[in-house]
Amino acid sequence: MQLTTDRFSSDETGAYLVVDRHPVLLPPKLARLIEHQMANPRRTSQLPPATTEHGAFIFPGRTSRPRNPEAFAQRLRDHDLPTLAARNTAMIENVAELPPVVVSDLFGIHINTANAWAGYAQDSWADYLAAQVELRS
């Protein structure tokens, strides 16, 4: 997935970034940074800004590519936006709401990794599995 300008929107309820087909509410600080970036794109090349069929990259890199993910994560940390803590919180929230097998398929992670996250969330899927057995009966 590429973060392009057509994926960002804001209204009176907040700012959203569409991930896959789902709008995700952004923290206000991150939304302001994205709005600023879109209004004032930083260019490191004399070439015209990189665009796709969906618009320009929100965080352009060099020569028609998006910014490197590691460099992007460092920029977020530079602005006091903790990426690792946010990722861990999101993963725990996901496995608390969905079975590990669904999280595995959804995020493309190994089922053992999803099960480990479920363990961190201290969630048992015994109720879910029992309900599945009842549905199939």
Side-chain angles (χ1 to χ4, degrees):
M1 180 192 74
Q2 296 177 336
L3 297 178
T4 52
T5 53
D6 70 324
R7 293 184 172 274
F8 181 80
S9 65
S10 62
D11 58 27
E12 62 279 348
T13 63
Y16 299 86
L17 188 64
V18 176
V19 177
D20 198 11
R21 290 178 304 254
H22 309 285
V24 176
L25 180 63
L26 299 173
K29 187 173 185 177
L30 180 57
R32 285 191 302 274
L33 287 171
I34 290 174
E35 287 171 339
H36 177 73
Q37 174 65 26
M38 288 173 55
N40 306 294
R42 194 165 146 192
R43 294 184 58 193
T44 58
S45 171
Q46 295 300 320
L47 297 173
T51 60
T52 69
E53 62 193 47
H54 302 289
F57 294 118
I58 294 175
F59 301 104
R62 296 178 190 245
T63 60
S64 72
R65 293 190 172 160
R67 183 168 292 195
N68 176 293
E70 290 80 22
F72 181 66
Q74 184 57 51
R75 286 284 286 186
L76 291 173
R77 287 189 296 273
D78 291 345
H79 288 282
D80 296 323
L81 291 163
T83 56
L84 185 59
R87 176 189 174 275
N88 292 348
T89 300
M91 288 302 291
I92 287 173
E93 287 294 320
N94 281 306
V95 295
E97 296 293 322
L98 299 167
V101 68
V102 173
V103 172
S104 172
D105 287 343
L106 186 63
F107 295 111
I109 60 176
H110 195 276
I111 186 64
N112 293 345
T113 303
N115 281 321
W117 278 107
Y120 299 142
Q122 297 179 356
D123 199 5
S124 168
W125 286 98
D127 294 337
Y128 170 79
L129 294 173
Q132 291 298 310
V133 170
E134 285 180 26
L135 287 174
R136 293 184 182 148
S137 302

